Amino acid sequence: MPDVYPLRRPTDRVPARGLIAVIACAVLVAIIGCSGGPKRPPTVKVTGKVTMNGTPVPGATVSFQSTAPGGRAAGGITDGAGQYVLTTFEAGDGAIAGDYGVAIVKSETVAASGASSNANSDDYVPPEGLKEPPPAKSLIPPRFGSTRESGLRATVGGGSTTFDFDLGK
């Protein structure tokens, strides 16, 4: 009597439908992985210097707020020489071309002990046991902290762009 269920060869173990499904999944993953994800607008490298009466302002936060509805902001922090580089999507990539209102903030907080510490510094640790942080003391004229009141504007266009701001004027 013939064997009803013949032995299968190792190559017969994967049914054709299963193999097709595995290949389809691999192709789909390759297509998604190579698409680069969502498209984002190009950026323009933006750098500059912040000074007050000609003296560099280190540790200040520079914020470019787009004036376009739904526009994306860019920001950076000044180094010891008052130099900044803007970031929108990735560190140092710049800003999207367009018009911006600019705000610059540098503040110092007063700790519970009364000692001052720079809240913008990397090593700042808020005091323990405080229910509410102490009010921040602005180290530059407070009007520069608002894009409406600062009077600072920038138009980012093609190519590298440099915007220097002297806050002592």
Side-chain angles (χ1 to χ4, degrees):
M1 185 160 169
D3 193 8
V4 178
Y5 299 104
L7 291 176
R8 295 182 178 233
R9 297 183 305 242
T11 57
D12 292 335
R13 288 188 181 159
V14 178
R17 286 182 294 181
L19 183 58
I20 291 171
V22 168
I23 292 172
C25 286
V27 169
L28 183 62
V29 167
I31 290 171
I32 292 171
C34 296
S35 70
K39 300 289 183 205
R40 59 185 189 200
T43 55
V44 178
K45 180 93 169 170
V46 176
T47 61
K49 185 174 186 177
V50 177
T51 57
M52 186 151 47
N53 297 319
T55 303
V57 179
T61 301
V62 180
S63 178
F64 278 46
Q65 299 293 322
S66 176
T67 59
R72 189 176 269 279
I77 298 178
T78 58
D79 63 14
Q83 302 283 339
Y84 69 90
V85 177
L86 290 185
T87 295
T88 298
F89 300 107
E90 298 174 1
D93 65 351
I96 299 167
D99 294 323
Y100 293 85
V102 180
I104 301 172
V105 177
K106 181 173 180 180
S107 59
E108 180 176 75
T109 59
V110 179
S113 66
S116 296
S117 54
N118 187 346
N120 292 331
S121 70
D122 291 334
D123 60 349
Y124 174 74
V125 177
E128 290 185 37
L130 290 179
K131 295 180 182 174
E132 176 178 316
K137 175 185 170 192
S138 181
L139 298 177
I140 59 176
R143 72 180 177 96
F144 292 110
S146 165
T147 58
R148 290 183 185 173
E149 296 177 25
S150 73
L152 304 175
R153 302 285 177 259
T155 299
V156 176
S160 288
T161 309
T162 301
F163 295 100
D164 295 334
F165 301 104
D166 189 357
L167 309 181
K169 296 180 179 177

